[in-house]
Amino acid sequence: MITRTTTGWQAEDWQFQLSRVVTSVKDLYQYLELPLDSLSSARLAQLDFPLKTPQSFLEKMKKGDFNDPLLLQVLPKQQELTLTPGFSYDPLAEASALKSRGLLHKYKNRVLVVLSGSCAINCRYCFRRHFPYQDNGLSQQEFEDISHYVTNTPQINEVILSGGDPLITSNKRLERFIHTLEKAPNLKRLRFHSRVPVVIPERIDEGLLRIIQSTRLKIILVTHSNHAQELDDVFSSTMQQLARIGVTLLNQSVLLKGVNDSALALSNLSEKLFSAGVLPYYLHLLDPVTGTSHFNVPETEGKLLIQQLLAELPGYLVPKLVKEEAGKTSKTPIPL
Ligand SMILES: *Cc1c(COP(=O)(O)O)cnc(C)c1O
Ligand code: SF4
């Protein structure tokens, strides 16, 4: 059992916290004491991608502030309804990289598996906001199919679990999936990409730690945090527990207008991550997905920010600035 020091309440377990997600726009406005003028457009904007935020994430926001960097990431806005040239529904052409249900093979020696369709939080900038999530709850047979695909494709040495969010999956299913995957002799590494350790760090429970310790696969966790204000003491102690059992800890962020598009926000994030034992990995430019253009930060501005960070931080605390382009065999680094 973990005591959440910031609020004083005790979490039974992570499922309890997951059940406390806020999905009503009105509840969000009322809790944060926001003026109600924009309530109806917020309601409209969430019709095809609903509001969803854990209570604990809400508690980290400043009341009465529409510009709070955490609130901006979850609050549905009228701007999402405008169509912007250059922004489309599937800019990464992921639909065409699907090898079997839930399996994406775009990069040479690593495959991406979508284990779960849902997330603990719905981020407004999400590049998968139009993804057919519901299609993706994998069966044991589909686990086997993925394991065979890996075995039959000898150059694959890493499986990446992405989302939805792979840590929404129960320990029981995760354990079964890992056991199935381990049968592929060429597989060396298993990487989790997840925002759950940021928003509900209690998810990394005893059972999950035991699963991680008992696999032969090298485990990597890439957390998805965009702002230092998201990270609390529970996050830090959880990351330290993972580090002790040999998990490699990295973080990736998306560069988001109003949220983290300043050298100060980014360097605070890097410092806070490092003090929890996590190294910054990628800073992604926004994928041009319909409904997200108000988060866009131009590439030239991204480069300037990285140059400022290089002047302020040791090199290992400066994330790599990248973007994703359809049909490429890796992410594209942005030259400074
Ligand atoms: C980002 C991504 C990866 C992993 O890329 P790394 O550069 O190894 O982090 C793998 N597959 C897909 C489809 C991706 O989008
Ligand atoms: S996939 Fe990641 S960015 Fe998208 S909604 Fe889920 S947690 Fe947020």
Side-chain angles (χ1 to χ4, degrees):
M1 182 165 313
I2 293 165
T3 306
R4 175 167 279 275
T5 48
T6 45
T7 58
W9 52 267
Q10 291 195 320
E12 286 297 315
D13 57 23
W14 60 279
Q15 264 124 348
F16 169 69
Q17 289 213 52
L18 256 189
S19 69
R20 290 183 85 218
V21 288
V22 174
T23 53
S24 147
V25 178
K26 193 165 182 201
D27 289 352
L28 178 88
Y29 270 65
Q30 281 175 341
Y31 179 82
L32 293 174
E33 297 163 13
L34 295 166
L36 298 177
D37 339 358
S38 56
L39 183 62
S40 60
S41 60
R43 277 186 170 147
L44 206 61
Q46 62 128 32
L47 285 180
D48 58 37
F49 188 52
L51 166 77
K52 188 177 190 182
T53 176
Q55 180 71 28
S56 53
F57 197 70
L58 209 58
E59 286 166 9
K60 293 173 186 161
M61 297 174 192
K62 194 168 149 231
K63 290 199 174 174
D65 183 4
F66 271 116
N67 294 320
D68 182 276
L70 275 52
L71 177 62
L72 287 175
Q73 296 179 62
V74 299
L75 181 67
K77 285 203 177 167
Q78 183 149 31
Q79 289 115 298
E80 295 177 31
L81 303 170
T82 53
L83 292 174
T84 310
F87 283 67
S88 63
Y89 286 96
D90 184 17
L92 307 177
E94 286 205 323
S96 66
L98 275 172
K99 294 299 165 192
S100 71
R101 235 168 62 88
L103 179 71
L104 253 76
H105 190 189
K106 294 206 290 191
Y107 298 177
K108 191 172 167 186
N109 54 12
R110 47 225 193 276
V111 284
L112 197 142
V113 173
V114 179
L115 255 197
S116 140
S118 62
C119 297
I121 181 169
N122 280 350
C123 313
R124 308 315 296 175
Y125 56 86
C126 183
F127 74 105
R128 294 218 165 91
R129 55 181 288 158
H130 307 290
F131 213 65
Y133 275 144
Q134 273 59 31
D135 297 346
N136 275 315
L138 300 180
S139 64
Q140 181 60 32
Q141 183 54 50
E142 285 160 336
F143 289 172
E144 306 273 352
D145 293 345
I146 289 171
S147 180
H148 288 147
Y149 181 86
V150 172
T151 307
N152 295 329
T153 319
Q155 74 266 29
I156 296 174
N157 58 18
E158 178 168 353
V159 166
I160 300 168
L161 298 179
S162 185
D165 200 304
L167 290 179
I168 285 291
T169 310
S170 69
N171 286 341
K172 205 169 148 194
R173 272 189 89 228
L174 268 182
E175 189 167 30
R176 243 190 292 135
F177 180 63
I178 293 173
H179 277 322
T180 313
L181 269 186
E182 275 174 335
K183 294 183 199 157
N186 44 317
L187 195 64
K188 289 184 188 158
R189 296 188 287 270
L190 180 62
R191 187 193 327 172
F192 290 86
H193 272 253
S194 175
R195 191 150 162 70
V196 165
V198 174
V199 299
I200 308 180
E202 291 83 354
R203 167 65 186 96
I204 318 283
D205 58 7
E206 295 290 322
L208 185 57
L209 293 171
R210 194 177 38 72
I211 292 169
I212 289 173
Q213 277 180 298
S214 60
T215 175
R216 70 167 179 87
L217 300 170
K218 166 73 190 172
I219 303 289
I220 299 137
L221 171 64
V222 183
T223 59
H224 286 201
S225 175
N226 299 314
H227 197 281
Q229 195 181 314
E230 297 172 353
L231 307 176
D232 61 13
D233 294 344
V234 184
F235 173 82
S236 292
S237 56
T238 306
M239 291 304 113
Q240 279 151 21
Q241 271 182 300
L242 288 169
R244 274 198 292 275
I245 60 170
V247 176
T248 298
L249 300 168
L250 303 168
N251 181 71
Q252 79 170 38
S253 311
V254 182
L255 183 55
L256 299 167
K257 192 167 173 177
V259 175
N260 58 10
D261 57 337
S262 72
L264 183 65
L266 291 171
S267 69
N268 284 344
L269 175 60
S270 281
E271 291 284 359
K272 192 127 183 212
L273 286 166
F274 185 73
S275 61
V278 184
L279 286 175
Y281 177 36
Y282 282 142
L283 178 62
H284 271 267
L285 292 177
L286 186 78
D287 295 314
V289 175
T290 304
T292 66
S293 63
H294 55 294
F295 285 115
N296 195 43
V297 177
E299 194 169 308
T300 47
E301 218 174 290
K303 289 188 202 189
L304 280 175
L305 286 169
I306 295 293
Q307 282 160 2
Q308 285 172 273
L309 289 184
L310 284 168
E312 280 177 33
L313 294 171
Y316 57 85
L317 291 188
V318 180
K320 282 183 244 185
L321 184 66
V322 294
K323 64 179 169 189
E324 265 199 72
E325 290 177 304
K328 290 282 167 72
T329 54
S330 74
K331 308 210 191 293
T332 308
I334 311 289
L336 296 183

